[in-house]
Amino acid sequence: MSNLGSVDRPLRVAIIGSGPSGFYAAAALFKLEIKVQVDMFDRLPTPYGLVRYGVAPDHPKIKNVIKVYEKDALMPGFAFFGNVNVGENISINELKRFYDAIIIATGAETDKKLGIEGEDLVGSHASTELVGWYNGHPDFQDLRFDFSHEVAVVIGQGNVAMDVCRILLKTVDELKNTDITQNALEVLASSKIREVHCYGRRGPVQAAFTPIEIREFGELTDCYPVINSEDLNVNESSLKELADPVRKKNFEILKELAKMSGEGKKRKLVLHFCKSPIEISGKGRVQGVMFEKNQLSGEPNAQKVRGTGVKESIECGIVFRSVGYQGVLVKGLPFEPNAGIIPNQKGRIMDFEQVFTGLYAVGWIKRGATGIIGTNKADSDESVHSLVEDLAHLIPCVEPSSEAVMQLLKSREVRVVSFADWKKIDAAEIERGKKLGKSREKFVRISGMLSAL
Ligand code: NAP
């Protein structure tokens, strides 16, 4: 009988990834009536993952959730191991020596592919790139976006697409006090983009955005929405799908937006429905996109999309593919490449019938890139519940010491960033922001973050 979770021998858990699902897992562990120690690893020196690098800079309220995560980060028994790349600096197998259980919370780090010709042309970008760039993610700072053409195309109608359209269409005044990077602000200030065309393969009732996000396009300073009212004449099945309150609200907002005039405004968002991209075209770089018109048919909530053979194309200078995120392989763990997730049952990592004892997944790497930030709470609770059910069967680690992990990383010349270190980086960023009249000015290079220490 193991004594894991006792005062003498707390349960030791490593969480890999410090985004929302990682923090909700930590919170669920600290709520247990056993003694736990949680070490949270992140390959970047900064915590909060998607909240810092995914949430749009002009949506600061969504970032308030950080205050909740910080409470758990300050709990006795919590340590942040920032700037540690699990898989490079230390392997999952090595971590097993120091932890009784490991929770993978690495999210969905890459974009889904469209699989059409021209997808890789210069000027065709995944939305993940633009989002990472304007949010100051160190991986995306060397990218260059050509905003010298008046027309941009965004493929996909989820909330990420809405973020991208909005950032491209807002004025500098609407962005300048946010935590968008100064470099992104300056580049966007000289952007020539005046029209963003956003394409959905299904109809207005099935669009993946949510009401708050679509409503904003009626409230922008210098941009108006354009919706073809014929697109709002939807079929019988789609009308029945309006029983869903989110769809109903979206549809009502779209009808309002369709009535708006663009008088006095220089920029526009054009929403296109029932059109699938079939080719991104251009000589050496993006010059246009070809779409095929679709028809929806079938029972409500099970309608199929069928190409009609009717094609149309649009000239543009840049394309953002915004068709969803997916997870990437974590070295040493099973992976389902099509879904971009780690195979699991209620969070227990498994490969076919084989359960990986003591290994769990949470968040987007567990279920795919769906839902809002809060969705991850119930998801992480479920995985922690599985861990608790397994407690008696966990194999106690042989060296239950965070100090030993630190020593090992030091011997490998890894500069581990603690939570106290992060708070120094945080304070320095807020200070840098004050000088620019912004909520913060992020360090966009790891070297800059470390130099603040
Ligand atoms: P998403 O919500 O899954 O939207 C993906 C979009 O791409 C959908 O319109 C989808 O159409 C379309 N699509 C997928 N494959 C396609 C293809 N082969 N051809 C054409 N279109 C294709 O993904 P997301 O926008 O990346 O967002 C990820 C998650 O983060 C979502 O749950 C989202 O709500 C959340 N998020 C929330 C916020 C917020 O709360 N403010 C902000 C950003 C993201 P179908 O619907 O037809 O599949």
Side-chain angles (χ1 to χ4, degrees), residues 174-394:
E174 287 172 291
L175 294 172
K176 68 180 183 198
N177 301 124
T178 71
D179 68 0
I180 191 168
T181 68
Q182 196 59 19
N183 174 48
L185 195 61
E186 282 163 18
V187 173
L188 286 167
S190 55
S191 164
K192 298 275 181 296
I193 293 175
R194 293 294 173 268
E195 291 180 23
V196 177
H197 291 253
C198 177
Y199 287 81
R201 62 181 167 181
R202 297 191 284 161
V205 175
Q206 294 80 22
F209 48 66
T210 41
I212 295 175
E213 282 65 27
I214 188 64
R215 187 186 285 123
E216 280 181 88
F217 290 98
E219 297 159 359
L220 302 186
T221 312
D222 195 26
C223 170
Y224 64 100
V226 177
I227 298 165
N228 182 345
S229 53
E230 275 178 30
D231 284 342
L232 302 178
N233 285 329
V234 297
N235 66 13
E236 228 14 69
S237 287
S238 296
L239 287 175
K240 288 189 179 148
E241 288 177 21
L242 293 176
D244 176 300
V246 173
R247 289 186 162 179
K248 184 165 181 267
K249 192 82 215 158
N250 272 348
F251 198 60
E252 283 167 3
I253 294 168
L254 288 170
K255 282 201 263 184
E256 288 306 310
L257 295 182
K259 291 183 207 152
M260 288 186 70
S261 106
E263 217 181 296
K265 297 196 174 181
K266 291 191 282 299
R267 306 167 187 214
K268 60 182 176 183
L269 170 77
V270 186
L271 288 169
H272 299 257
F273 298 100
C274 288
K275 292 172 190 171
S276 284
I278 50 175
E279 186 190 342
I280 299 175
S281 56
K283 288 200 177 98
R285 59 157 300 107
V286 167
Q287 290 175 314
V289 189
M290 172 101 73
F291 290 88
E292 179 176 8
K293 290 191 182 174
N294 294 328
Q295 228 169 25
L296 291 178
S297 59
E299 292 301 307
N301 301 309
Q303 296 197 70
K304 294 263 180 305
V305 175
R306 197 169 47 81
T308 60
V310 178
K311 291 176 187 157
E312 69 170 42
S313 52
I314 179 168
E315 280 182 23
C316 64
I318 196 162
V319 172
F320 293 99
R321 307 176 316 265
S322 196
V323 295
Y325 292 116
Q326 62 176 35
V328 297
L329 175 100
V330 177
K331 272 188 208 161
L333 295 180
F335 188 62
E336 278 178 18
N338 290 335
I341 59 164
I342 296 178
N344 69 89
Q345 271 184 13
K346 293 190 175 173
R348 291 183 182 91
I349 295 182
M350 47 203 303
D351 207 359
F352 300 102
E353 293 303 297
Q354 187 206 344
V355 178
F356 285 56
T357 308
L359 285 166
Y360 302 85
V362 291
W364 280 3
I365 194 68
K366 169 186 174 187
R367 67 172 197 278
T370 60
I372 56 171
I373 287 172
T375 313
N376 292 298
K377 187 175 179 310
D379 177 292
S380 294
D381 285 350
E382 181 190 62
S383 299
V384 169
H385 184 73
S386 297
L387 191 159
V388 172
E389 279 184 349
D390 299 346
L391 202 57
H393 308 290
L394 294 181

Side-chain angles (χ1 to χ4, degrees), residues 93-152:
N93 242 342
E94 286 172 319
L95 285 175
K96 287 183 190 163
R97 181 174 178 83
F98 308 104
Y99 300 96
D100 310 308
I102 300 172
I103 298 178
I104 309 297
T106 47
E109 290 186 72
T110 190
D111 56 295
K112 282 188 187 155
K113 295 278 172 282
L114 278 170
I116 60 172
E117 206 173 309
E119 187 165 12
D120 297 322
L121 275 174
V122 174
S124 162
H125 301 276
S127 282
T128 43
E129 295 174 354
L130 185 78
V131 171
W133 172 74
Y134 63 59
N135 276 328
H137 192 299
D139 287 0
F140 301 96
Q141 297 310 307
D142 294 325
L143 295 177
R144 295 287 170 267
F145 299 94
D146 181 356
F147 298 136
S148 64
H149 199 282
E150 279 202 4
V151 180

